[in-house]
Amino acid sequence: QVQLVESGGGLVQAGGSLRLSCAASGSIFSIDAMAWFRQAPGKQRELVASIGNGGSTSYANSVKGRFTISRDNAHNTLYLQMNSLKPEDTGVYYCHAITPHLNYWGQGTQVTVSS
């Protein structure tokens, strides 16, 4: 079992920055890759960014150049640095961990970007 707890969400004006954190605990040795997803009101959950065990990253086109995903393996923490935020970045952001047998989700943290 893997437990994921997100933090760092909040209300920010357009153009501002936030850094999300996701603390992982439990069977963290089994985690292959981690990712951030988000879900805006009335929309489907979408992949924002992912990072593999080797450090390879990928981003949704909508956040490329503005968001950076990183992973601190020593502290079992995943980060998402979000810069130049836009109102369309508003939503609940979820941490996601992928293991060979199961995938895990955090409870989510709300990000609201005002115009």
Side-chain angles (χ1 to χ4, degrees):
Q1 292 281 345
V2 174
Q3 293 80 42
L4 304 170
V5 179
E6 302 99 332
S7 61
L11 173 64
V12 64
Q13 287 188 331
S17 298
L18 283 175
R19 188 174 83 153
L20 304 183
S21 300
C22 171
S25 60
S27 301
I28 56 176
F29 59 87
S30 65
I31 296 175
D32 287 332
M34 298 190 75
W36 287 97
F37 284 73
R38 68 186 179 190
Q39 187 165 20
K43 294 189 177 181
Q44 289 189 331
R45 193 172 296 189
E46 62 174 354
L47 176 64
V48 174
S50 64
I51 184 166
N53 266 343
S56 60
T57 59
S58 65
Y59 296 91
N61 287 334
S62 59
V63 307
K64 278 182 182 176
R66 301 188 297 122
F67 290 11
T68 302
I69 189 171
S70 61
R71 188 171 171 179
D72 182 348
N73 290 327
H75 294 94
N76 305 321
T77 304
L78 179 73
Y79 298 102
L80 184 68
Q81 177 67 44
M82 306 186 293
N83 298 328
S84 302
L85 283 161
K86 304 175 181 179
E88 51 264 44
D89 293 318
T90 293
V92 179
Y93 283 68
Y94 296 92
C95 179
H96 184 61
I98 302 166
T99 74
H101 303 293
L102 291 172
N103 294 340
Y104 297 90
W105 294 94
Q107 83 287 351
T109 185
Q110 176 71 44
V111 171
T112 303
V113 184
S114 63
S115 57

